[in-house]
Amino acid sequence: MTSVSDCPAHYTAKDFKSDVKPVWCPGCGDFGVLSSITKAFADLGLEPHKTSVVSGIGCSSRIPAYTTTYGFHSIHGRALVVGAGLKLARPDLTVLVAGGDGDGFSIGGNHFLHACRRNVDMTYVVMDNRVYGMTKGQPSPTTEPDWDASAMAPPGGTGMTPFNPLAIALAAGANFVARAFSGDPNGTARTIAEAITHPGFSLVVVMSPCITFREEQREWKTVVRPAQLEATTDPAQAAKRLMTDDGFNIGILYQGHRPPYMPERKETAALADLDREFAL
Ligand SMILES: Cc1ncc(C[n+]2csc(CCOP(=O)(O)OP(=O)(O)O)c2C)c(N)n1
Ligand code: SF4
């Protein structure tokens, strides 16, 4: 067993990767995101036993198993609730919540809105591939309205306006809003590190291709570009930029100043008292 005295003074990205081999399809964008997250942890000088990765359900949500931090592979759409609870109970831990666009914006959409509004100090990394990968190719809230290339999509597409997570996060009160691309692991690591450092609820949407159900997303690498403008602290300016954004600008859009939500901690009851309270 490793004792604290065996721990290195500084953990590398490799130290944050577990021995569990990812089961993702070769070429899946989520490999790049895993590397960016572990690099961000190392660059910030974090320690695995003081860091946690919480996820929901989906291919992307497998990520806690691939890191050496504390982890919680929770249930579909509920990762933000688990993450918020953990941060409030253990403010000393760095909490990173991760998952997919289906997990976070469809079944978890309500929790997403309230996580932005509540502003607990944690970072939410969404691996957005505009599809439900794990369940074999259904359209997700961020899918283009005319996408019908999968047997799981209605002919002609859903016809529905895609969910715009950056605009919705901004409107709902998120304190940090950014977009990144899995094909740019160093840039994504820098953005995630900034998001972790920034107080309050930080959203990083990472465009992460699903090469199995959305093969055309391989082309994203030819169209993404660094945003031409620096991050703004003015939500009105950020909203204006989003109105002309084509979805391929990467970088930090908004850094706000709202104080994080951290209720005063009450004395916790002793475990024995709780036992008595719940005894049948
Ligand atoms: C309550 C519940 N409903 C539905 C499912 C089935 N399910 C598992 S993963 C998933 C979608 C995952 O898509 P996304 O979050 O975009 O992640 P990806 O697999 O693309 O990374 C669904 C609908 C489930 N596991 N639990
Ligand atoms: S199905 Fe798509 S999202 Fe899932 S592992 Fe394969 S490439 Fe990645």
Side-chain angles (χ1 to χ4, degrees):
M1 201 176 120
T2 313
S3 75
V4 173
S5 57
D6 297 328
C7 294
H10 184 85
Y11 292 86
T12 64
K14 205 165 157 237
D15 294 323
F16 279 99
K17 277 194 184 167
S18 75
D19 297 334
V20 180
K21 195 172 172 304
V23 293
W24 293 318
C25 311
C28 174
D30 297 351
F31 283 99
V33 185
L34 172 64
S35 293
S36 301
I37 289 174
T38 52
K39 179 168 170 26
F41 287 164
D43 290 351
L44 290 173
L46 301 182
E47 299 170 292
H49 57 287
K50 293 184 185 160
T51 310
S52 69
V53 178
V54 176
S55 70
I57 298 292
C59 299
S60 40
S61 288
R62 291 182 182 272
I63 209 155
Y66 307 145
T67 75
T68 54
T69 67
Y70 283 109
F72 196 143
H73 188 179
S74 76
I75 51 172
H76 202 29
R78 301 296 179 263
L80 285 170
V81 185
V82 177
L86 175 60
K87 184 67 189 180
L88 297 186
R90 287 286 309 271
D92 54 311
L93 293 181
T94 297
V95 176
L96 184 135
V97 179
D101 41 295
D103 185 73
F105 305 142
S106 192
I107 190 169
N110 183 34
H111 293 296
F112 174 61
L113 292 178
H114 293 285
C116 295
R117 186 173 79 85
R118 195 168 287 122
N119 201 30
V120 170
D121 186 19
M122 60 185 180
T123 295
Y124 187 30
V125 174
V126 180
M127 285 156 261
D128 187 1
N129 52 20
R130 305 183 187 177
V131 74
Y132 290 2
M134 180 171 263
T135 47
K136 304 207 179 304
Q138 298 85 357
S140 86
T142 53
T143 302
E144 301 80 348
D146 58 351
W147 182 72
D148 65 355
S150 155
M152 299 288 199
T158 63
M160 283 190 257
T161 303
F163 190 88
N164 184 333
L166 274 62
I168 290 162
L170 186 71
N175 222 22
F176 179 106
V177 178
R179 184 188 290 125
F181 172 51
S182 63
D184 169 29
N186 288 336
T188 301
R190 278 195 299 277
T191 300
I192 293 173
E194 293 276 353
I196 293 172
T197 313
H198 195 81
F201 182 78
S202 298
L203 172 72
V204 182
V205 173
V206 189
M207 300 172 69
S208 180
C210 171
I211 48 91
T212 298
F213 295 105
R214 305 259 358 218
E215 229 218 309
E216 72 283 10
Q217 291 177 348
R218 289 180 190 274
E219 294 310 310
W220 277 352
K221 61 178 178 298
T222 63
V223 286
V224 295
R225 60 184 103 78
Q228 292 304 304
L229 296 163
E230 293 290 304
T232 175
T233 55
D234 175 3
Q237 208 175 76
K240 208 168 152 195
R241 283 183 199 171
L242 282 172
M243 292 304 120
T244 53
D245 174 62
D246 66 357
F248 295 108
N249 291 306
I250 55 174
I252 302 168
L253 171 76
Y254 173 70
Q255 287 169 305
H257 296 304
R258 285 178 63 214
Y261 175 77
M262 182 46 78
E264 213 174 292
R265 284 159 66 89
K266 297 204 183 103
E267 264 319 295
T268 41
L271 275 181
D273 293 339
L274 285 174
D275 260 0
R276 264 194 298 280
E277 210 173 301
F278 285 97
L280 295 174

